[in-house]
Amino acid sequence: GTPSATSRRGKGRIVPREMAAISPFDSSVQGGDATWEGIRVYHGRIFHLKEHLDRLFRSARALGFENTHSREEVKDAIFRVLAANGMRDGAHMRLTLTRGQKCTSSMNPLFNCYGTTLIILPEWKPTEGATTYDNTAGISLVTAGAARRSMPGVIDNKIHHNNMLQNILPKIQANNAGCADSLMLDDEGFVAETNATNLFLVRYTSMDGVDTDDRSSYVLVTPSADACLPGITRATVLVLADELGIKAEVRRVSLSEFYSADEVFTTGTMGELTPVVEIDGRPIGWTGSKRGAVTSLLQSAYKDAVANRLDWSTEIPAFS
């Protein structure tokens, strides 16, 4: 809902998806002026809800939103929408906070008179399916030529904003190439992320193979977040790697390092950890276009964290 500038906001409306609507005067329509989060529901709990709301509100602050919904209002709305849909597992939410409705058509925030608009779109969506990825067989990527990831001096990708053309154009290129996503470079030619996810590579210390129990036999590498969103799943994988005793490097990474990597995988809330078996038609590693052993190890650690790290998730109240 959209609050009045002079009164407490109402509780908003919960409507069937085919009846959902937004004002043509809303800032998200007028200029893509919004911030968003994708959030997953597992086993009656919302994974990393605190971290997602932290990022949502930090992005809203960076964008200068005013008369913003409170954290408790957002949480209450999330719980009410989940209850209305009976969703306690296997669901994904798209949470959008816009600058709000304007009193006239304009990009100027001075004409935002009513406070922020909150949109919660929940769907039954498994981690592996038509709208996500194959986390066993893996995916193929193509390097984007349609767009590059901008550095903070252009648009800071640490703001999780709704200006998505920089993502959509490379996705069209991936679709046309028959690939899952596009690998995106920054403006200096270093790998940033894909159009939808963060990236990791695994490098073995010996080209003879890897023993996952021997932590000294491989290293995990992910691009620094200068030109990409420092994702929450990316951060979770780095924590898990540290707990498992896996050495991790966060630094600039070239495209040739990804071509020559022994394993590559993507990370994101929607699809969790997804093996990459091919980039630009080049097979990754020595596994015969199969998921690598280290990727499989980290996938298992992530699944275990979702199920058992209750301090990393928020319980959904009982539905009345």
Side-chain angles (χ1 to χ4, degrees):
T2 301
S4 164
T6 58
S7 65
R8 292 293 295 170
R9 60 179 55 82
K11 284 187 173 291
R13 296 176 299 141
I14 299 175
V15 297
R17 60 186 294 160
E18 62 272 12
M19 296 176 62
I22 188 170
S23 168
F25 290 97
D26 192 87
S27 295
S28 60
V29 178
Q30 293 281 315
D33 190 1
T35 180
W36 68 279
E37 291 293 323
I39 304 175
R40 272 216 169 273
V41 175
Y42 301 92
H43 318 306
R45 305 182 72 87
I46 304 173
F47 196 54
H48 283 321
L49 178 61
K50 176 185 180 300
E51 289 75 10
H52 282 288
L53 293 185
D54 285 349
R55 187 168 64 183
L56 182 81
F57 282 103
R58 287 189 184 280
S59 293
R61 185 189 303 171
L63 292 170
F65 286 6
E66 296 180 353
N67 193 17
T68 305
H69 287 73
S70 72
R71 193 182 189 94
E72 287 307 310
E73 286 173 328
V74 174
K75 287 178 66 175
D76 177 69
I78 288 171
F79 293 148
R80 289 192 297 113
V81 170
L82 290 176
N85 288 278
M87 291 177 169
R88 302 191 69 88
D89 191 23
H92 179 271
M93 288 179 288
R94 174 73 174 243
L95 183 69
T96 304
L97 187 70
T98 87
R99 194 181 298 272
Q101 187 174 323
K102 296 178 181 292
C103 57
T104 188
S105 179
S106 173
M107 289 188 293
N108 191 342
L110 288 177
F111 294 111
N112 285 85
C113 306
Y114 309 106
T116 53
T117 299
L118 176 66
I119 305 164
I120 302 173
L121 175 61
E123 295 182 286
W124 298 109
K125 190 169 288 187
T127 54
E128 296 186 63
T131 58
T132 52
Y133 307 105
D134 189 326
N135 290 349
T136 302
I139 60 172
S140 298
L141 303 178
V142 61
T143 300
R148 290 200 173 193
R149 271 283 178 254
S150 59
M151 298 296 280
V154 181
I155 295 178
D156 193 345
N157 289 292
K158 294 178 183 63
I159 301 173
H160 207 198
H161 54 75
N162 277 49
N163 287 273
M164 302 294 286
L165 283 178
Q166 200 179 49
N167 304 71
I168 293 168
L169 293 176
K171 182 62 176 178
I172 292 171
Q173 182 180 347
N175 290 344
N176 291 340
C179 294
D181 279 322
S182 278
L183 181 151
M184 298 190 68
L185 308 177
D186 66 22
D187 58 6
E188 294 186 34
F190 291 96
V191 173
E193 58 181 348
T194 78
N195 56 273
T197 55
N198 290 123
L199 278 162
F200 284 82
L201 66 82
V202 180
R203 189 178 67 245
Y204 303 162
T205 57
S206 170
M207 295 184 72
D208 294 330
V210 66
D211 175 5
T212 56
D213 292 329
D214 179 4
R215 303 299 194 237
S216 67
S217 66
Y218 52 94
V219 62
L220 191 65
V221 183
T222 190
S224 58
D226 297 326
C228 73
L229 180 75
I232 291 168
T233 308
R234 171 183 179 271
T236 302
V237 168
L238 290 171
V239 170
L240 293 172
D242 182 65
E243 292 177 348
L244 290 167
I246 300 171
K247 180 183 177 182
E249 299 175 0
V250 180
R251 58 174 175 81
R252 281 183 155 184
V253 189
S254 68
L255 182 58
S256 64
E257 289 182 271
F258 273 89
Y259 285 157
S260 62
D262 296 296
E263 300 180 30
V264 175
F265 62 90
T266 67
T267 61
T269 297
M270 178 79 79
E272 300 177 348
L273 281 68
T274 303
V276 175
V277 297
E278 186 179 271
I279 299 175
D280 295 336
R282 301 173 181 231
I284 298 300
W286 314 99
T287 58
S289 297
K290 296 180 181 178
R291 172 177 53 182
V294 179
T295 301
S296 182
L297 172 68
L298 288 167
Q299 284 179 320
S300 296
Y302 189 87
K303 291 286 190 186
D304 182 73
V306 165
N308 298 309
R309 299 289 285 266
L310 300 187
D311 56 324
W312 287 6
S313 62
T314 300
E315 185 176 9
I316 301 170
F319 299 157
S320 58

